[in-house]
Amino acid sequence: MLKRYGRQTVLFNSPVGIMATASVVGPKEGQGPLAAYFDQIEADPMFGTESWEKAESKFAETAAEMAAKKADTAIGDFEYIIAGDLLNQSTGSIFGLRNTNAPYLGIFGACSAMGEGMSLGGMLIDGGFAQKVICLASSHFCSAEKQFRFPLEFGSQRPPTSSWTVTGSAAVALGGTTGGPSVMGCTTGKMVDMGVTDANNMGAAMAGAAADTIVAHLTDTGRSTDYYDKIITGDLGYIGQELLLALVKKKGYDITHKHIDCGIEIFDKNTQDTLAGGSGCACSGVTFAGYFYDKMKRGELNKILFVPTGALMSPTSVQQGESIPGIAHAVVIENA
Amino acid sequence: MLKRYGRQTVLFNSPVGIMATASVVGPKEGQGPLAAYFDQIEADPMFGTESWEKAESKFAETAAEMAAKKADTAIGDFEYIIAGDLLNQSTGSIFGLRNTNAPYLGIFGACSAMGEGMSLGGMLIDGGFAQKVICLASSHFCSAEKQFRFPLEFGSQRPPTSSWTVTGSAAVALGGTTGGPSVMGCTTGKMVDMGVTDANNMGAAMAGAAADTIVAHLTDTGRSTDYYDKIITGDLGYIGQELLLALVKKKGYDITHKHIDCGIEIFDKNTQDTLAGGSGCACSGVTFAGYFYDKMKRGELNKILFVPTGALMSPTSVQQGESIPGIAHAVVIENA
């Protein structure tokens, strides 16, 4: 029987339990409002390595090992590891996970990686292809600035629309029926191109995709916004949030009082100089794995729609005048 | 019921039919031994665009549209498009497919993209999450040389171990039970790091992963090599093939008379100066979509193990002294 609802949504036959999550972040995240929720705050942004790229891989490796340990499973016993990051050729994930000895599925959805990974992981388990899957995402402020914008040493001024890439990695171990927070289904996003060409305004580039996926999810399932305690986007930030709420309203839904954005929650913009908010694959990753997962385990939240968002571009595509399509993948997570 | 065999393999409940394939290649591929099998040979490597990157996207767009048309399905009616390429942040696929209006899952497995995509596409259909999926891979000699090695204008001499990135894109439309060539299962590869640090010797970097996945597949399923008419790797080339055969033999299997490599088949090394062979995501993609799919439809081949191979690295990782892990994803394709 096809588990499909409408154009973009699947709902699983059985809840796919979340066995454990792990969140490992850098020093700036550890000074932010969610510090108490992270598993490990690493004081050294180089994480004892000799480059930012190697540091990002160390964050990924640490998060994967921690999630496996919490799930009481050797990392090589997971049937799939699904991982993605922002670095060219996904080297953050690859060099962090090359020693796991587990079947590996690399993904690329820019900062929507945790949404794409949890969607695929849930489907592989619900489809009978696996019992235990690790989904992982990582990003690093310094490796991202170097690759996408300017070398840090250049001391470029950041425009107010720019976001701050989260340093860290999150891993979510899916499997079993734990009775707690579980993945119930997903709505896979289409690429939505709003014509934004400013690589320093990712919130605007992604807002259309987030709105499209959220509205598709509600339409596909016939659910009202009341179904969810919170609708949580990945890294739209302050500018993207405003656009999202307006775009969703135009389609007939009001999510003003349901919406939270991980990029807004993770930093204190007044004291941390993070401008439009946090971003990066780790932004939605660690905010879910640390903060929201905890709130669900305590029963403070019971039904969330988790919608990591990604801006699809490279420095080359921007230099060649391409606009920046967005994508957003929604994951239904409920206390089962 | 878990559809899992051994550590890395799944076999589907029902064959996942291949509705159609499309192969669109550049001029050099059109002068090679497989020319007659490709759907479209584009004489202009720029494909009418203004950059190599945009050309690569045009190849991807053309292949996707052609596969959809052959499958008699509007491209927006596919429930997932799964695509990957070699460009930074996967822009080959992204800008080629941004107007498809279909749920999009980006993957990164370097040149193993078609193997990873067909594995995931098969699982999403067999798992009841979709009825029709397009799997796509693309690469372009010029965009790859520019990004990974030297600008073409530099006129760098190519070492004999180097391979020639295939220009083109392949799309495979999965769905339905056509009775013809069908995906029956897959063996998802682990990363295997042989310690190779020479970015001009991808065959050596990937041979260990190909051997690991092929042996895992045979062990997991209990099949002998006789089960398959051919075991087809992606882009090991001449050097990688020699290593593969030796590594597999060390594990107790002899695939000498079963093995074909797409990178060896696609070019004539004597007349085309392609050194160690063809490579790139499109290498295994178009060779399967054009040549092997045709041979299966004619009944000249009935059971193949299709094993696209990838070398996981970036220029940055190589510059920082990292070795190059390989990965290989095996797809079981049989006339059902």
Side-chain angles (χ1 to χ4, degrees), chain A residues 150-198:
Chain A
F150 294 102
L152 290 183
E153 297 83 347
F154 181 68
S156 163
Q157 194 170 4
R158 302 165 60 75
T161 53
S162 71
S163 55
W164 190 282
T165 304
V166 167
T167 298
S169 177
V172 174
L174 297 178
T177 43
T178 61
S182 303
V183 179
M184 314 297 279
C186 57
T187 299
T188 300
K190 305 170 175 178
M191 289 190 257
V192 175
D193 193 336
M194 307 280 283
V196 173
T197 53
D198 180 358

Side-chain angles (χ1 to χ4, degrees), chain A residues 184-270:
Chain A
M184 314 297 279
C186 57
T187 299
T188 300
K190 305 170 175 178
M191 289 190 257
V192 175
D193 193 336
M194 307 280 283
V196 173
T197 53
D198 180 358
N200 279 308
N201 193 350
M202 295 298 185
M206 298 185 288
D212 192 72
T213 298
I214 291 167
V215 170
H217 177 79
L218 297 171
T219 311
D220 285 353
T221 58
R223 291 175 180 170
S224 83
T225 55
D226 287 342
Y227 185 88
Y228 291 103
D229 298 326
K230 290 290 171 195
I231 295 174
I232 302 162
T233 50
D235 54 354
L236 295 182
Y238 294 94
I239 295 163
Q241 180 183 50
E242 204 179 318
L243 293 169
L244 171 72
L245 298 179
L247 288 166
V248 170
K249 202 169 273 176
K250 262 178 77 174
K251 297 278 180 70
Y253 293 94
D254 187 350
I255 60 167
T256 311
H257 301 292
K258 295 284 181 182
H259 181 250
I260 306 187
D261 183 67
C262 298
I264 293 176
E265 298 302 309
I266 195 166
F267 293 124
D268 179 342
K269 75 165 172 171
N270 295 318

Side-chain angles (χ1 to χ4, degrees), chain A:
Chain A
M1 196 201 67
L2 203 66
K3 303 159 188 170
R4 203 137 181 121
Y5 295 75
R7 265 297 286 135
Q8 293 172 247
T9 302
V10 298
L11 296 176
F12 300 158
N13 283 344
S14 320
V16 172
I18 297 176
M19 303 166 75
T21 68
S23 53
V24 185
V25 299
K28 191 175 182 87
E29 293 69 24
Q31 291 154 6
L34 304 186
Y37 295 92
F38 298 129
D39 290 305
Q40 183 174 336
I41 297 166
E42 177 57 34
D44 172 16
M46 295 288 275
F47 214 147
T49 70
E50 58 201 357
S51 76
W52 295 322
E53 292 79 12
K54 287 180 199 254
E56 182 171 336
S57 290
K58 186 82 183 287
F59 276 101
E61 183 181 11
T62 308
E65 282 173 0
M66 189 184 294
K69 194 171 175 193
K70 283 189 184 183
D72 204 17
T73 304
I75 196 154
D77 287 343
F78 282 85
E79 284 132 336
Y80 297 102
I81 297 184
I82 304 173
D85 63 274
L86 291 171
L87 293 184
N88 297 342
Q89 289 74 56
S90 300
T91 53
S93 311
I94 285 164
F95 290 99
L97 303 170
R98 73 174 140 179
N99 296 321
T100 52
N101 201 33
Y104 181 77
L105 294 165
I107 55 174
F108 182 78
C111 306
S112 72
M114 190 50 94
E116 181 175 345
M118 289 176 70
S119 298
L120 281 170
M123 288 194 275
L124 294 185
I125 291 173
D126 190 63
F129 305 107
Q131 291 178 300
K132 292 175 182 172
V133 175
I134 281 186
C135 312
L136 182 139
S138 69
S139 55
H140 194 300
F141 174 75
C142 304
S143 64
E145 287 297 307
K146 169 183 163 184
Q147 182 180 279
F148 288 109
R149 285 167 281 267
F150 294 102
L152 290 183
E153 297 83 347
F154 181 68
S156 163
Q157 194 170 4
R158 302 165 60 75
T161 53
S162 71
S163 55
W164 190 282
T165 304
V166 167
T167 298
S169 177
V172 174
L174 297 178
T177 43
T178 61
S182 303
V183 179
M184 314 297 279
C186 57
T187 299
T188 300
K190 305 170 175 178
M191 289 190 257
V192 175
D193 193 336
M194 307 280 283
V196 173
T197 53
D198 180 358
N200 279 308
N201 193 350
M202 295 298 185
M206 298 185 288
D212 192 72
T213 298
I214 291 167
V215 170
H217 177 79
L218 297 171
T219 311
D220 285 353
T221 58
R223 291 175 180 170
S224 83
T225 55
D226 287 342
Y227 185 88
Y228 291 103
D229 298 326
K230 290 290 171 195
I231 295 174
I232 302 162
T233 50
D235 54 354
L236 295 182
Y238 294 94
I239 295 163
Q241 180 183 50
E242 204 179 318
L243 293 169
L244 171 72
L245 298 179
L247 288 166
V248 170
K249 202 169 273 176
K250 262 178 77 174
K251 297 278 180 70
Y253 293 94
D254 187 350
I255 60 167
T256 311
H257 301 292
K258 295 284 181 182
H259 181 250
I260 306 187
D261 183 67
C262 298
I264 293 176
E265 298 302 309
I266 195 166
F267 293 124
D268 179 342
K269 75 165 172 171
N270 295 318
T271 62
Q272 294 195 286
D273 193 26
T274 43
L275 301 167
S279 63
C281 301
C283 180
S284 57
V286 300
T287 304
F288 170 73
Y291 182 57
F292 290 112
Y293 181 66
D294 185 82
K295 283 185 108 58
M296 292 192 76
K297 290 234 299 193
R298 292 171 193 270
E300 294 169 29
L301 292 174
N302 286 300
K303 292 180 179 179
I304 66 169
L305 188 66
F306 176 49
V307 194
T309 37
L312 302 170
M313 48 74 78
S314 74
T316 305
S317 72
V318 171
Q319 284 158 13
Q320 293 185 357
E322 288 287 9
S323 52
I324 303 170
I327 196 159
H329 298 299
V331 186
V332 181
I333 307 170
E334 300 182 15
N335 273 326

Side-chain angles (χ1 to χ4, degrees), chain B residues 56-66 95-97 99 136 169:
Chain B
E56 182 170 337
S57 291
K58 187 83 182 287
F59 277 100
E61 182 181 11
T62 308
E65 282 172 0
M66 188 184 294
F95 290 99
L97 303 170
N99 295 322
L136 182 139
S169 178

Side-chain angles (χ1 to χ4, degrees), chain B residues 66-150:
Chain B
M66 188 184 294
K69 193 171 176 191
K70 283 190 184 182
D72 204 16
T73 304
I75 196 155
D77 287 343
F78 283 84
E79 284 132 336
Y80 297 102
I81 296 184
I82 305 173
D85 63 274
L86 291 170
L87 293 184
N88 297 342
Q89 289 74 58
S90 299
T91 52
S93 311
I94 285 165
F95 290 99
L97 303 170
R98 71 173 141 178
N99 295 322
T100 51
N101 200 34
Y104 181 77
L105 294 164
I107 54 174
F108 182 78
C111 306
S112 72
M114 190 49 95
E116 181 175 345
M118 289 177 70
S119 298
L120 281 170
M123 289 194 275
L124 294 186
I125 291 173
D126 190 64
F129 305 106
Q131 290 178 299
K132 293 175 182 173
V133 175
I134 281 187
C135 312
L136 182 139
S138 69
S139 55
H140 194 299
F141 175 74
C142 304
S143 63
E145 286 298 306
K146 168 182 164 185
Q147 183 181 278
F148 288 110
R149 286 167 281 267
F150 294 102

